[in-house]
Amino acid sequence: MTKPTLKSTENRQDWLFVILCLFTVSFFLYRDFDIRMLFGYALLGLVLLVHLLRRLLADRAPGMDPVRMAFLILSAAVLVNFLRPDSRHDSDSVSFVLSMVICCAFAVFSRTGERAARIGLGVCFGGAVCLTAFVQFFEFNPWYFWNWFLPKLSGTASSYLCYYVPRGYGFSLGGATLTDYVVFVGLAICCGYLASGRKFDWKSAYALVLGAVFFETILIVGRRGELLGAAVCLVLLVLVLCGKKQRRILLIGGIAACVVGFVAIVALLPWLKQFPALSRYVMTVERLLRGQDITSGRLELYALAWDSFLKHPILGIGWDQFHTLVPQAFQELHGQSTVEDVHCIYLQFLTETGIVGTVLLVAPLFYLYYQVCAQLTRLKKRPGELCTARMLCITSFLIQSFLLILGLIDPTFQKIVFWCFYGIALMLLCAALELEGYAPDDPVSRLLNKFIHLCAPPFVLVWNWVAGLFRPLRR
């Protein structure tokens, strides 16, 4: 095993993880209540500045390891593509990069201890419970929403809900996607607790019930992609935690159960139509039986993206420029908002950044996913040990799985809030690795460690020089 470099000799608690969790679960405030998002990110930037000043006063250099270095490489790849002259440089793209830089800095500077990890997960869990209560209450009491709550929302949020709720979506805060993301994190925390190796007790029963409620909430919100992504992630977790023999049985039984379940749904379609919350799923099954498109035009977007990639295979057409390929007729047919993404992050990488950019973006994403899978495999061999590390690892595994798997059919990476959730997942992974006492030692990690050692001397010189300016203040 290799040892991480530039680590502080003092194991001090910081609260960057908790602050990022609080910011993420309250992200709906900016759009729904017309608060400028810039204020929120400015506050995060101020928190980072204070944290950095405290480190300088204590002369504690930030540590670096392969996980954090991979996040830096991913952020650098995005930044380089964004700075290309043929890329899009409007306010949304700038906000996306700003979110990335701040969340990456939070992950690099943070040293999340067990206590901070638990509090941060508690914040995320509380946010998921609040959003679940919101969705469930107004689903059964829509009159209160339309007559009491809707007038309190911003014009953007009101227009969104007035357009999408009559079309089968549930009530949401910050949009259906953000609501699903926050609720899924709550579901991931429940799964992490249940699979952490603790004895089954009343807390486990509580987590099991709430996990089922969280999944039902995602169903009610009406986003088919997030529901499918959540289901696939849960199945994947079960398969990972099972043994080989159990895995074969579950795969065969699961396929049989899916077939029986689909037949039952088709037989019960007339009855299921009575429930408004299921209208989008009923419509999907009906279209599938009629042989119609159930992808909301994604196949056409995929074809446009692939044709563009074949014309510009090396460097692509420029960051965030796919929207220039979408015909006006498609825009008018699908939704009230402009269609700007391929709805497949990997195909969008190829279209906008070419083969070169896609390798630079996908490599760190898959490396970080490999690390969480590798740790989960190691911890599975140690039942009853490192329960907290196992819970943090499983939660990170599910969040990363959700973002990467859902990215096949939805633009997860292109959403500004992606960096908040991804930063939380990586901070959980770093905390789990530190609790396990393990440093990655695979060939890629060794290469990254050599790169860290190469960059360390100039960084230390600069840090020592700047820290020296603060020595009189310490006296």
Side-chain angles (χ1 to χ4, degrees):
M1 292 189 299
T2 57
K3 294 181 180 179
T5 59
L6 290 182
K7 271 200 173 183
S8 169
T9 56
E10 301 177 62
N11 184 21
R12 300 194 180 185
Q13 186 77 57
D14 68 57
W15 302 100
L16 292 182
F17 177 70
V18 178
I19 293 169
L20 184 60
C21 289
L22 183 60
F23 175 80
T24 303
V25 299
S26 62
F27 199 82
F28 65 89
L29 293 172
Y30 302 103
R31 194 200 69 166
D32 284 4
F33 296 97
D34 215 9
I35 301 172
R36 291 196 64 186
M37 197 181 300
L38 182 62
F39 295 152
Y41 281 108
L43 183 59
L44 288 186
L46 181 61
V47 169
L48 275 174
L49 179 61
V50 171
H51 180 82
L52 182 59
L53 289 175
R54 289 183 62 189
R55 278 187 173 274
L56 287 168
L57 285 170
D59 199 7
R60 291 189 299 125
M64 187 58 68
D65 53 56
V67 171
R68 291 179 173 88
M69 179 55 68
F71 198 6
L72 276 174
I73 292 172
L74 173 63
S75 301
V78 172
L79 186 60
V80 168
N81 279 290
F82 169 75
L83 292 176
R84 284 171 44 174
D86 58 349
S87 296
R88 189 178 181 183
H89 298 123
D90 62 358
S91 59
D92 289 339
S93 298
V94 172
S95 298
F96 179 85
V97 172
L98 176 65
S99 175
M100 176 196 72
V101 170
I102 291 178
C103 292
C104 181
F106 263 71
V108 169
F109 284 110
S110 174
R111 284 300 175 272
T112 307
E114 182 175 348
R115 183 185 175 201
R118 287 179 175 274
I119 294 174
L121 289 182
V123 170
C124 292
F125 185 80
V129 169
C130 290
L131 286 182
T132 294
F134 175 91
V135 172
Q136 299 277 358
F137 176 79
F138 287 119
E139 181 65 31
F140 294 102
N141 301 277
W143 184 91
Y144 290 101
F145 180 86
W146 297 116
N147 293 277
W148 175 73
F149 191 78
L150 186 68
K152 296 176 172 57
L153 297 177
S154 66
T156 302
S158 298
S159 299
Y160 173 90
L161 290 164
C162 288
Y163 181 85
Y164 283 106
V165 172
R167 285 165 174 76
Y169 286 90
F171 299 105
S172 59
L173 286 173
T177 298
L178 178 64
T179 297
D180 276 344
Y181 281 23
V182 175
V183 173
F184 179 80
V185 172
L187 175 59
I189 294 170
C190 290
C191 293
Y193 186 86
L194 287 168
S196 63
R198 295 177 175 87
K199 292 183 178 179
F200 193 88
D201 55 10
W202 70 268
K203 291 182 180 179
S204 301
Y206 178 68
L208 182 62
V209 171
L210 266 182
V213 174
F214 287 148
F215 190 83
E216 185 222 358
T217 300
I218 295 174
L219 176 96
I220 290 175
V221 170
R223 290 274 303 174
R224 297 171 299 174
E226 275 86 27
L227 179 67
L228 178 62
V232 170
C233 289
L234 294 180
V235 171
L236 186 62
L237 176 64
V238 172
L239 293 177
V240 168
L241 294 177
C242 287
K244 290 183 179 179
K245 187 177 293 185
Q246 294 172 317
R247 199 173 295 143
R248 291 195 205 98
I249 296 173
L250 286 174
L251 280 173
I252 297 172
I255 293 172
C258 288
V259 173
V260 172
F262 182 77
V263 172
I265 289 172
V266 172
L268 294 173
L269 273 181
W271 179 70
L272 293 175
K273 287 182 180 180
Q274 302 175 24
F275 301 94
L278 302 178
S279 60
R280 285 180 55 78
Y281 308 108
V282 170
M283 177 191 67
T284 300
V285 174
E286 289 179 334
R287 287 185 175 181
L288 182 64
L289 294 175
R290 291 196 295 264
Q292 298 177 341
D293 178 33
I294 61 170
T295 67
S296 299
R298 282 173 171 79
L299 296 179
E300 186 176 345
L301 294 175
Y302 297 165
L304 287 171
W306 184 251
D307 289 343
S308 176
F309 165 67
L310 294 178
K311 294 175 183 176
H312 308 88
I314 307 302
L315 295 175
I317 61 175
W319 185 261
D320 213 12
Q321 291 286 20
F322 175 76
H323 70 102
T324 61
L325 305 177
V326 183
Q328 185 61 35
F330 187 94
Q331 301 278 17
E332 294 172 355
L333 181 63
H334 296 275
Q336 61 172 166
S337 59
T338 305
V339 179
E340 298 185 340
D341 302 300
V342 182
H343 288 74
C344 173
I345 62 174
Y346 310 103
L347 194 50
Q348 187 153 349
F349 290 160
L350 287 171
T351 304
E352 296 180 344
T353 68
I355 296 174
V356 174
T358 300
V359 170
L360 292 174
L361 291 167
V362 170
L365 284 171
F366 283 5
Y367 167 79
L368 292 166
Y369 189 59
Y370 164 77
Q371 287 301 335
V372 75
C373 292
Q375 186 186 34
L376 185 55
T377 301
R378 290 193 306 272
L379 294 178
K380 188 176 75 167
K381 298 175 182 177
R382 302 173 64 179
E385 301 179 40
L386 299 168
C387 293
T388 300
R390 185 167 172 147
M391 181 180 72
L392 301 184
C393 175
I394 291 172
T395 305
S396 176
F397 168 78
L398 285 173
I399 295 174
Q400 287 191 59
S401 299
F402 184 72
L403 294 173
L404 296 179
I405 293 173
L406 183 58
L408 290 167
I409 57 174
D410 207 53
T412 54
F413 191 91
Q414 284 72 31
K415 299 181 188 300
I416 188 173
V417 77
F418 167 87
W419 295 107
C420 299
F421 289 98
Y422 197 65
I424 288 172
L426 294 191
M427 291 161 84
L428 287 171
L429 173 60
C430 290
L433 288 171
E434 290 177 9
L435 286 173
E436 185 190 6
Y438 180 87
D441 194 31
D442 55 275
V444 177
S445 298
R446 287 197 293 270
L447 182 63
L448 288 174
N449 264 319
K450 289 181 181 179
F451 183 70
I452 292 169
H453 282 289
L454 182 67
C455 298
F459 172 82
V460 171
L461 287 174
V462 173
W463 180 271
N464 288 338
W465 179 77
V466 176
L469 301 176
F470 287 82
R471 287 194 184 106
L473 296 177
R474 291 200 295 271
R475 295 171 189 165

